[in-house]
Amino acid sequence: NLREGQILCPTFVEVGTNKPLYLHRADGKYWVDYDPHDIITHYKSYRTINIGPLKRQYEELLATPVEEAVKDSPFIGKGAKQREYPEFYSSGSGRKEDAAVVNTGKVDYNWAQMLKPSLIFKAYINADNTCTEEERAEYEKFCQDNKYWLQDYAMFMVLKDWHNGKCWNEWDDEFKRRDEMALDAMEEQLSYELNAVKFSQFIFFKQWHELKEYANSKGIKILGDMPIFVSLDSADAWAHQQLFKLDQNGKPYKVAGVPPDYFSKTGQLWGNPQYNWDKMKQTGYRWWIKRFKNILQQVDMVRIDHFRGFDEYFSIPYRAKTAADGHWEKGPGMALIGVLNGWFRDLQFIAED
């Protein structure tokens, strides 16, 4: 049966959670999880593998009042003794009423964005102090199994905060160029912050797999969306600078977009850094293999956005004002698809475009 129904579920807002209660009533066979990364656009995520740190996660940790949420978290265990962290509260006074949110019938996204990082950090501190040996071992195994992306992502997020949210190519030189001694020193200095980032991903992935199992048990498959390009301001570009068309200062010299057409006289200037496909090929496309390996653990099938970019991609000079100055270049073509088919048996994906 080549035609199957789908239902698009945008569940990625800052205050969203993983509630799957309505899934078994859906008529479609596929739940299209369009964007597991960033609320603005999936082409501006900080990482291709992580799930955005403010999005649909922490059902047990954050959906109920914080004292109950942390106490009853399945990671921490029942009846855990609470520690107070006054800096968590909005006024710094430590009074619980200062952290109260008045229900006006509308979502206050700015407040959610300000509040959740503090909640997450508090949840991590409590977990670190009260978890059992088995729970700690589960967390450490997650960190080890996902080290190939998690370590870079956690360091990226901590350093981004350290540099007041600036893009990585505007950081201090030792961090921009990934000096090993500087990174080692930062890892020791900000170990709690790094582990809090890792902990947030641990909690989410645990909850996500529970949701996926639930959906599959109801005969519903998850269709994940994979944007072909990544953001310049991402852990991927920072950790793998050689795989992108960047100059020695981390600035892209070729960016992505599409040419002028009937809908736009000047085309679309997306601004994502172009891949250095020659370097990708020299590495055996390892970055792409790892990317597919991870997403296929999260979903049942993948939709690749702007798939034609693997055949030919529109390359635009970085300083161009519009996409009209760009030109087409050859992509990796079937060389990449052949490598992926060699690694993943029965690989199935939907090619958009």
Side-chain angles (χ1 to χ4, degrees), residues 236-296:
D236 291 278
W238 174 64
H240 306 283
Q241 298 175 38
Q242 73 281 6
L243 299 181
F244 298 87
K245 291 185 175 180
L246 306 174
D247 63 21
Q248 60 182 2
N249 295 314
K251 301 287 187 180
Y253 54 89
K254 295 288 185 180
V255 297
V258 290
D261 57 18
Y262 177 81
F263 300 101
S264 175
K265 294 181 179 180
T266 58
Q268 299 178 36
L269 181 58
W270 297 341
N272 307 82
Q274 290 285 4
Y275 295 114
N276 187 331
W277 286 112
D278 290 336
K279 290 290 186 182
M280 290 272 190
K281 184 177 181 180
Q282 292 173 14
T283 65
Y285 300 107
R286 281 200 304 269
W287 184 85
W288 283 99
I289 292 169
K290 291 177 179 178
R291 190 178 183 189
F292 268 88
K293 176 184 176 181
N294 191 283
I295 196 172
L296 290 172

Side-chain angles (χ1 to χ4, degrees), residues 63 112 152 176 197 199 205 228 238 271 273 283 294 330 334 337 344:
D152 286 330
K176 178 169 64 177
V197 175
F199 175 76
F205 276 93
I228 187 172
W238 174 64
T283 65
N294 191 283
K330 290 296 294 181
M334 290 303 297
I337 304 303
F344 304 104

Side-chain angles (χ1 to χ4, degrees), residues 3-9 22-31 218-221:
R3 173 174 290 182
E4 295 172 328
Q6 302 175 355
I7 180 169
L8 181 65
C9 297
Y22 58 87
L23 284 181
H24 66 284
R25 298 188 184 133
D27 294 329
K29 183 175 181 181
Y30 283 94
W31 175 21
K218 300 299 181 180
I220 296 175
K221 296 181 180 180

